Amino acid sequence: MTADQTTPWPDDDIILYDGVCIFCSSWIMFVAKRDVAKRFRFTPIQSDYGSRLAHQFGIDPNNPDTNAVIHGGIAHFKSDGALTTLSLLPRWSWVRVLLVVPAALRDPVYSLIANNRYRIFGRSDACMVPDASLRDRVIE
């Protein structure tokens, strides 16, 4: 990734996701439903802000191979991003133990799903339209 991971990102607890991926949009709904503190905000990679983030982090917005979560000013990718997100949700903190498993073992599983997500789960023609409860947490 091209971003300097030691320089804090100015926005925090942002999840960058593929907005036309049905699996990715379901992931966002999963997180939003469990994030009772409304800590996370979401940006589809297809939005202006999401595209700028993607470029900053070296993610191809036309063919994203990872989500990203910015937490503590640091961008986390692939399985690190998913596990970091889950670990910050109520009753999901136990997943932190999975971070001891080397990313070299976790990321191939993540990549297998990411590379086949459209074929397995489908793709929509446009980004998910958030309902009223989620709209104020989506950054376009």
Side-chain angles (χ1 to χ4, degrees):
M1 303 298 152
T2 60
D4 176 2
Q5 293 203 9
T6 61
T7 302
W9 188 256
D11 292 327
D12 208 22
D13 293 329
I14 303 288
I15 298 175
L16 173 68
Y17 70 100
D18 182 354
V20 298
C21 168
I22 292 173
F23 178 76
C24 303
S25 295
S26 297
W27 164 248
I28 295 306
M29 297 305 296
F30 175 91
V31 171
K33 181 178 180 180
R34 287 154 183 81
D35 181 19
V36 294
K38 296 185 178 184
R39 153 185 255 153
F40 289 106
R41 291 177 294 151
F42 314 99
T43 186
I45 203 165
Q46 292 80 7
S47 70
D48 288 340
Y49 182 74
S51 182
R52 286 195 316 268
L53 275 181
H55 280 76
Q56 179 68 31
F57 297 138
I59 299 169
D60 179 357
N62 297 313
N63 188 23
D65 64 348
T66 182
N67 73 354
V69 61
I70 297 110
H71 174 69
I74 305 298
H76 304 273
F77 305 97
K78 297 194 177 201
S79 63
D80 282 342
L83 293 174
T84 297
T85 300
L86 283 172
S87 73
L88 295 167
L89 297 175
R91 299 193 318 232
W92 284 86
S93 61
W94 62 270
V95 302
R96 284 187 188 108
V97 301
L98 297 175
L99 289 167
V100 301
V101 176
L105 297 175
R106 292 184 274 115
D107 282 349
V109 174
Y110 181 96
S111 293
L112 180 67
I113 294 167
N115 292 333
N116 293 290
R117 68 190 182 280
Y118 296 144
R119 188 173 55 79
I120 298 169
F121 302 102
R123 174 185 176 129
S124 59
D125 293 331
C127 290
M128 164 191 71
V129 176
D131 64 15
S133 67
L134 188 58
R135 197 167 296 125
D136 62 336
R137 297 172 65 191
V138 174
I139 303 170
E140 297 288 335

